[in-house]
Amino acid sequence: MNAVKSIFSPLRAWKYLVKPPVTLPKRFIFEAPREASDSYRGFHQNDLDACIGCGTCSEICPTAAITLVEVEGIEATEGKTNTRPAFDYGRCSFCGLCVDICASDSLNMSKNYVYISKEADNFYFLPQIAGIHGRVDPLGYHRDEVSELLDLGRRKMNLMDISRKSSFLEIVEGFSKEMAFEEASRCVSCGICTSACPAAMHIPEYITSVWKDDLEGGLRDVYKTNPLGNVCGRICTHKCEEVCALGHRGDPIAIRWLKRYIVDHVEENVYTKVATESVLAPTMGKIAVIGSGPSGLSCAYYLRTLGYDVVVYEKQALPGGVIRYGGPAYRLPEESVIRDISMIEASGVEFKCSVDIGTDITLEQLKNKYDAVFLGIGMSESQTLELPGCNHEAVYYGIPFLAEARDYTRGLREMPEIHESAVVVGTGNVAFDVARTLVRMQEIKYGKSDVHMTTRRKFGTLSADVEEVEEGTEEGIHIHYEVHPRYISSENNRLEGLVVESKPGYEETISVKSIYIAAGQVADYKLLPQTIKNEITPKGKLIVNGRGQVESHPWLFAGGDITKGPDIINGVHTGHVAALGIDEWLRGNK
Ligand SMILES: Cc1cc2nc3c(=O)[nH]c(=O)nc-3n(C[C@H](O)[C@H](O)[C@H](O)COP(=O)(O)OP(=O)(O)OC[C@H]3O[C@@H](n4cnc5c(N)ncnc54)[C@H](O)[C@@H]3O)c2cc1C
Ligand code: SF4
Ligand code: SF4
């Protein structure tokens, strides 16, 4: 019987020719597929505007299915690259790790799981908000708290308690080794930060060296574009942190504090080795640098590494510019400045201090003696403010006051004259330096402080850094918002205070015994002949080309605040650019 059945079996299969199929036709699956579950890992969707092109998704992909590709119409900007992730669905295992780690939250997976094409190339796809079918599909898998792969919280740097206001001790403690390791481990090494750093520092590289405990390597990366690691590790404007990939969903990496950790923990002999190992014998020519601020220091150092003999002329008694005579010691201790400058000295740069170019030596004399001249004189003069009554002897300017304060904290002079109460006109970073220095000096001298600041701006819109405002307020500074200084009031030569207009037609007096003006800085161009002064813009900047050269006087290069900035890292960068420019120009000339 079984044998008969098996003979007729093939014939029975013919009955299926007239039965309806058990599988669904292709068009049904395509047009009305069954809805997937809520967290289904279907094809990707990516908001290309929110995506920053960091490539973190590509780095984590275990099947190497993601490639960052340039996208027409998307420009690289600070904090964003011009690339976006494209997916190879021949490789993708739909694991969702890319979604879990996406820095910007732009990448998700849809519920769509159907795609049919005879063309293999169609499975290599750049998702946008519209997915592979060119439409926005229902949201499928997206990251939740459990699947979060980024460590979004910053390791906090300890700040001295309020007792800080009666001393000039550095107020921010450095990271311990453990804190630095943890903080460095949060970095995804995307390099987005480098695009925002004026000096294009090798940030991911030196952060990696922290968690690898290779501080010598980290310091080497710092020196590639910045010989002021101690200074910048403390008071750099840290623009890099504003764009850090992690900042989109959490705290940006504490890049500045990690740099500080490296420079604070490298042993002295290793430090000197790293700083001087790439210096060449001085056979290439002689260069004069005018001004020893960040731009002059950077230019001088990189010229030495290129084999030039460099002499820096500085009109102050000590080299450093604003980092020596401006930023107060509680933010930037003397030892940090000395360490950076001593390395530049160790590289063979010669410093001639207390020499005022334009008075002691003319620019023409330098031009005749050297192969090229770099000008980095900064904006070291206070902008005057023509307030009626401002000639009173208890009215001071911020910049000379801060210079005296630095000499006081380094033990070179007595405390400058300090009154029991003061108002600072201005609320930028420099004004906060003045006000917080006054708080400290009053506390030391009188055991109490009474410091005010005035601004035309509204609360929350000051140009100073948020930390300055918060810490200054905590130290007891009273900020008067939306007031206009009108005149300085005094009677019988006794200063009564600053009269401000707080509402149209309504004046009030801030009663204080001294007034400090911190309303910006200007350059002193007295050393320049008129032909070079013609190259100065109405805003006071000297016009230079891409290599820092004054084209009408090709032997003259410039950098720092007089060409860009104003901040230290721009000074460092423009000094470096000019060093390379001088080298290029002299080689071309020979
Ligand atoms: C109080 C204060 C606080 C600041 N804090 C910060 C901060 O926290 N972070 C930050 O990034 N930036 C800060 N800045 C800005 C920063 O310091 C400057 O942008 C930077 O120092 C500019 O460097 P530079 O090389 O152009 O010149 P400078 O630092 O201004 O140095 C110029 C040097 O040239 C010398 N010089 C001038 N004329 C002559 C001459 N004729 N002959 C010989 N020498 C001359 C001057 O004496 C000076 O030493 C601060 C600025 C001030 C004023
Ligand atoms: S991780 Fe997110 S932000 Fe970065 S490239 Fe990928 S999709 Fe874009
Ligand atoms: S510091 Fe931030 S932006 Fe820079 S590499 Fe690390 S994660 Fe990326």
Side-chain angles (χ1 to χ4, degrees):
M1 188 61 192
N2 273 349
V4 173
K5 195 176 172 189
S6 66
I7 290 168
F8 287 102
S9 285
L11 296 177
R12 286 216 310 274
W14 288 99
K15 72 179 179 199
Y16 292 109
L17 282 175
V18 291
K19 283 196 170 185
V22 290
T23 53
L24 290 174
K26 185 175 95 178
R27 69 192 156 83
F28 286 161
I29 300 172
F30 193 71
E31 285 165 13
R34 206 171 57 192
E35 183 162 341
S37 65
D38 276 351
S39 58
Y40 190 82
R41 296 198 286 251
F43 293 109
H44 299 81
Q45 294 182 157
N46 192 14
D47 179 347
L48 294 192
D49 289 335
C51 173
I52 56 174
C54 63
T56 312
C57 47
S58 163
E59 281 297 311
I60 201 169
C61 178
T63 58
I66 306 176
T67 319
L68 271 280
V69 294
E70 286 186 14
V71 180
E72 211 183 310
I74 295 186
E75 302 285 326
T77 53
E78 256 180 30
K80 283 189 178 183
T81 71
N82 61 346
T83 61
R84 297 293 181 265
F87 290 73
D88 180 350
Y89 286 116
R91 305 184 75 115
C92 177
S93 62
F94 294 88
C95 64
L97 283 174
C98 51
V99 172
D100 291 340
I101 206 164
C102 173
S104 70
D105 217 7
S106 63
L107 187 65
N108 285 299
M109 289 167 115
S110 68
K111 288 186 180 176
N112 194 331
Y113 54 89
V114 180
Y115 184 69
I116 301 167
S117 175
K118 288 180 186 159
E119 298 298 324
D121 282 354
N122 289 347
F123 289 86
Y124 181 66
F125 177 70
L126 182 114
Q128 311 193 7
I129 293 184
I132 200 161
H133 294 297
R135 61 171 188 245
V136 183
D137 285 313
L139 184 64
Y141 181 73
H142 51 281
R143 185 191 48 254
D144 59 23
E145 276 174 24
V146 179
S147 58
E148 175 66 77
L149 290 179
L150 297 177
D151 181 353
L152 296 170
R154 177 184 274 211
R155 303 301 174 270
K156 293 274 176 287
M157 186 75 120
N158 291 333
L159 184 71
M160 254 175 101
D161 65 21
I162 197 63
S163 66
R164 65 178 185 262
K165 69 176 185 174
S166 43
S167 89
F168 281 89
L169 292 176
E170 186 172 21
I171 63 175
V172 180
E173 281 176 23
F175 274 150
S176 66
K177 185 170 184 173
E178 190 188 14
M179 289 160 87
F181 271 33
E182 286 178 8
E183 184 62 15
S185 310
R186 300 203 301 123
C187 170
V188 294
S189 292
C190 63
I192 290 279
C193 43
T194 297
S195 67
C197 170
M201 289 196 72
H202 295 61
I203 298 167
E205 291 85 348
Y206 71 67
I207 290 181
T208 303
S209 76
V210 171
W211 59 259
K212 282 190 173 166
D213 203 13
D214 171 22
L215 298 190
E216 179 177 338
L219 186 65
R220 203 163 273 123
D221 281 322
V222 169
Y223 264 94
K224 281 179 186 160
T225 55
N226 187 349
L228 300 182
N230 282 277
V231 170
C232 289
R234 287 175 162 78
I235 65 164
C236 180
T237 39
H238 56 112
K239 298 178 193 305
C240 50
E241 293 179 21
E242 286 168 22
V243 302
C244 170
L246 267 76
H248 290 265
R249 298 200 285 112
D251 297 332
I253 302 289
I255 301 172
R256 180 174 54 163
W257 300 144
L258 288 172
K259 180 160 57 246
R260 170 175 166 179
Y261 172 78
I262 294 173
V263 294
D264 281 358
H265 290 83
V266 174
E267 284 169 20
E268 205 57 30
N269 57 337
V270 178
Y271 210 114
T272 313
K273 182 182 89 180
V274 171
T276 56
E277 65 194 359
S278 55
V279 171
L280 300 179
T283 56
M284 299 294 292
K286 286 190 79 165
I287 315 294
V289 169
I290 307 173
S292 65
S295 65
L297 291 171
S298 169
C299 183
Y301 174 75
Y302 288 112
L303 281 169
R304 277 299 299 116
T305 65
L306 292 164
Y308 290 88
D309 198 356
V310 188
V311 180
V312 177
Y313 292 90
E314 169 55 55
K315 72 176 175 186
Q316 297 277 12
L318 295 168
V322 172
I323 57 177
R324 201 72 180 247
Y325 286 97
Y330 62 83
R331 292 202 293 127
L332 181 62
E334 189 73 0
E335 311 83 67
S336 308
V337 182
I338 290 175
R339 197 169 198 211
D340 280 340
I341 295 179
S342 66
M343 293 300 149
I344 293 168
E345 272 179 316
S347 76
V349 171
E350 185 187 349
F351 287 91
K352 292 193 176 187
C353 290
S354 304
V355 181
D356 187 346
I357 304 300
T359 305
D360 302 321
I361 304 176
T362 65
L363 189 61
E364 187 67 15
Q365 284 172 310
L366 289 187
K367 180 196 162 196
N368 294 336
K369 189 170 171 195
Y370 294 91
D371 295 308
V373 177
F374 174 80
L375 195 64
I377 55 173
M379 300 270 183
S380 26
E381 305 294 314
S382 284
Q383 175 106 46
T384 52
L385 194 64
E386 296 305 327
L387 269 183
C390 69
N391 291 331
H392 194 281
E393 59 186 17
V395 176
Y396 306 89
Y397 277 94
I399 297 296
F401 166 67
L402 288 172
E404 289 174 357
R406 282 301 306 225
D407 270 347
Y408 160 68
T409 53
R410 63 173 75 99
L412 293 183
R413 57 162 289 157
E414 296 291 307
M415 186 187 285
E417 188 179 18
I418 293 293
H419 302 263
E420 280 172 276
S421 55
V423 61
V424 179
V425 179
T427 42
N429 280 324
V430 174
F432 271 92
D433 280 348
V434 173
R436 296 179 73 186
T437 298
L438 282 166
V439 167
R440 282 158 177 76
M441 289 190 172
Q442 287 179 351
E443 291 284 343
I444 292 168
K445 186 168 176 186
Y446 301 108
K448 59 182 182 170
S449 54
D450 182 13
V451 177
H452 302 248
M453 299 177 85
T454 65
T455 178
R456 293 162 188 244
R457 296 177 184 239
K458 292 189 170 133
F459 177 80
T461 64
L462 299 190
S463 58
D465 295 346
V466 177
E467 306 96 77
E468 287 295 324
V469 183
E470 284 175 0
E471 290 166 18
T473 309
E474 197 180 282
E475 288 165 12
I477 294 170
H478 182 167
I479 304 171
H480 300 255
Y481 291 94
E482 296 181 71
V483 297
H484 299 248
R486 284 289 174 241
Y487 61 94
I488 289 158
S489 150
S490 61
E491 200 174 307
N492 299 329
N493 206 33
R494 194 179 58 82
L495 194 122
E496 290 185 322
L498 178 69
V499 179
V500 295
E501 189 179 73
S502 48
K503 283 182 230 153
Y506 180 77
E507 289 183 346
E508 59 182 283
T509 305
I510 303 173
S511 301
V512 285
K513 296 199 164 124
S514 57
I515 294 173
Y516 290 77
I517 294 168
Q521 292 87 241
V522 288
D524 180 358
Y525 285 122
K526 72 169 190 310
L527 76 169
L528 298 182
Q530 190 55 45
T531 50
I532 303 178
K533 282 188 181 153
N534 293 341
E535 306 285 338
I536 297 168
T537 68
K539 288 192 170 167
K541 300 274 183 193
L542 186 60
I543 299 169
V544 291
N545 64 18
R547 57 183 185 185
Q549 188 175 31
V550 180
E551 286 194 340
S552 57
H553 298 72
W555 51 272
L556 184 65
F557 290 73
D561 282 3
I562 59 168
T563 65
K564 225 178 165 194
D567 62 6
I568 294 167
I569 194 67
N570 269 299
V572 165
H573 178 60
T574 49
H576 191 177
V577 165
L580 298 173
I582 289 170
D583 182 51
E584 191 188 348
W585 179 68
L586 287 175
R587 283 171 188 274
N589 260 2
K590 280 175 185 166

